[in-house]
Amino acid sequence: MKYKPKNPTKIDGRVVAEWNEESVLQMVSRFGHLRRAEIAASVWPSSSPESAKKMCSITVRRLLARRELEERPNALGGKSLVVALRGVRRLALSGHESADGRDLSSVDGPQFYHRALGTNYLIQKLREGAQVFGEYAILKQRAPATRAGLKERFNKFPDGLVLYPASSRGYNGPRFAADWIEVESNVKADADIANMMRIALRPGVWLDAAETTVIDRVVFLFDARQRHEAAFCSYLRREVMPVLSDYGDGVLHNIVFARAQIRTPLIWEGCTEVTAAEVLLRSTGESALLKQPKEDV
């Protein structure tokens, strides 16, 4: 006698479990390493925080027991998850490229805070429906531009990329418009700020050799409790405002300050964004900053 389910429209729990496991493995593989809170937020974006946390705990426990994930101490004194060799093999069976993350130095090294801050911002954008590529994806050549191409074109690499349909940003030619993400966790000297502003002050350049993606904005991400925004604005007032006409009135709308709300040691509570034009307008009253010309690309 065949088993007849009581509710034939309900998805088999084993199917859901397998989907959850592969989703977690893919997400950890995408970023290199994640904490449980980051896995919960990214894999179950539509669930309540309590439900997402519970599903994450159950799924991670199974993956650890099967040795498809491995847990490592991170630089903040907590635990992070990386994909183990068995997890790499499982992902390969479903057509997903991955790599063994057990030797990642960014888990317990000095760059952990910097990487985790960027990861949380990218997860927020992922939840909002954008395409995202973190530092690890760029390193592993999974981003829309190669490391060699980025080095040649910009002589530096972003801490992340967020892609949107180009039409949503007012472009007619490109397929995608990208936000170039710069994570700020240390105080920068003027020379370092100037280097980062090189890209911010020339929006509309191609990100990739195939010319599918244009850089639209540069987003400076930082803990809102720190003074990075003041340093950037001071630089813009001294070096850019006096020669604003050389860049175009709308350029300051393409420089974005992402103010992350963080609880110690690094508990993400959200992020608000404001353009450099909005911040400087409050202090200068320059109506020209409100202009937002954008040439077709």
Side-chain angles (χ1 to χ4, degrees):
M1 182 178 178
K2 292 184 178 180
Y3 166 72
K4 186 177 180 180
K6 293 181 180 179
N7 184 356
T9 62
K10 186 177 181 180
I11 301 175
D12 190 304
R14 290 168 297 183
V15 175
V16 174
E18 288 182 9
W19 182 89
N20 286 341
E21 289 168 8
E22 293 219 2
S23 297
V24 168
L25 287 171
Q26 289 175 34
M27 197 62 67
V28 176
S29 174
R30 172 184 290 200
F31 289 102
H33 53 80
L34 291 174
R35 296 174 296 172
R36 283 172 173 79
E38 294 153 356
I39 293 173
S42 56
V43 177
W44 292 276
S46 300
S47 300
S48 67
E50 296 77 14
S51 178
K53 182 179 179 180
K54 180 179 179 180
M55 292 304 301
C56 174
S57 178
I58 293 170
T59 306
V60 167
R61 191 184 309 129
R62 287 199 304 265
L63 291 168
L64 287 171
R66 293 176 184 168
R67 291 188 288 170
E68 293 176 352
L69 281 183
E70 186 171 297
E71 195 168 45
R72 288 185 49 188
N74 61 46
L76 295 180
K79 300 285 187 179
S80 291
L81 286 308
V82 299
V83 179
L85 187 56
R86 288 189 179 186
V88 173
R89 291 171 180 163
R90 177 171 177 176
L91 286 173
L93 290 174
S94 56
H96 296 281
E97 182 184 356
S98 185
D100 184 350
R102 292 176 297 173
D103 295 328
L104 282 172
S105 61
S106 54
V107 179
D108 53 7
Q111 286 297 307
F112 179 81
Y113 185 93
H114 181 276
R115 174 77 68 87
L117 184 58
T119 292
N120 277 274
Y121 176 81
L122 294 174
I123 288 173
Q124 178 168 311
K125 294 303 171 182
L126 186 67
R127 289 165 61 94
E128 293 170 4
Q131 293 188 55
V132 305
F133 301 89
E135 203 172 348
Y136 186 71
I138 295 168
L139 176 66
K140 293 295 183 180
Q141 308 285 19
R142 300 174 190 164
T146 65
R147 281 180 61 81
L150 290 168
K151 177 70 174 177
E152 180 181 352
R153 287 169 177 267
F154 308 106
N155 200 34
K156 72 189 308 296
F157 307 110
D159 295 317
L161 293 166
V162 182
L163 268 58
Y164 302 89
S167 59
S168 69
R169 293 285 181 86
Y171 293 98
N172 294 325
R175 184 179 177 189
F176 296 107
D179 284 353
W180 176 296
I181 312 303
E182 291 283 348
V183 179
E184 304 308 316
S185 54
N186 297 307
V187 177
K188 295 290 193 301
D190 274 2
D192 297 318
I193 295 176
N195 187 41
M196 291 186 289
M197 287 293 176
R198 284 190 301 106
I199 298 170
L201 292 172
R202 54 176 185 144
V205 300
W206 293 108
L207 176 73
D208 57 333
E211 298 188 350
T212 64
T213 304
V214 68
I215 298 177
D216 184 49
R217 309 190 310 174
V218 173
V219 177
F220 295 101
L221 169 67
F222 48 83
D223 184 334
R225 298 170 297 183
Q226 299 176 340
R227 293 186 52 80
H228 298 293
E229 185 176 316
F232 289 132
C233 288
S234 177
Y235 175 86
L236 290 169
R237 289 189 186 97
R238 293 194 318 270
E239 305 296 335
V240 177
M241 294 292 291
V243 290
L244 187 59
S245 59
D246 293 347
Y247 299 104
D249 292 339
V251 73
L252 293 178
H253 289 275
N254 299 91
I255 300 171
V256 178
F257 302 131
R259 304 160 172 168
Q261 282 76 55
I262 303 293
R263 281 194 291 118
T264 305
L266 201 168
I267 300 172
W268 183 266
E269 295 192 327
C271 183
T272 58
E273 297 182 1
V274 61
T275 67
E278 293 173 279
V279 175
L280 293 172
L281 179 66
R282 296 189 193 115
S283 59
T284 65
E286 286 286 344
S287 59
L289 295 179
L290 290 177
K291 298 178 183 178
Q292 301 187 60
K294 183 167 291 184
E295 297 180 0
D296 291 343
V297 175

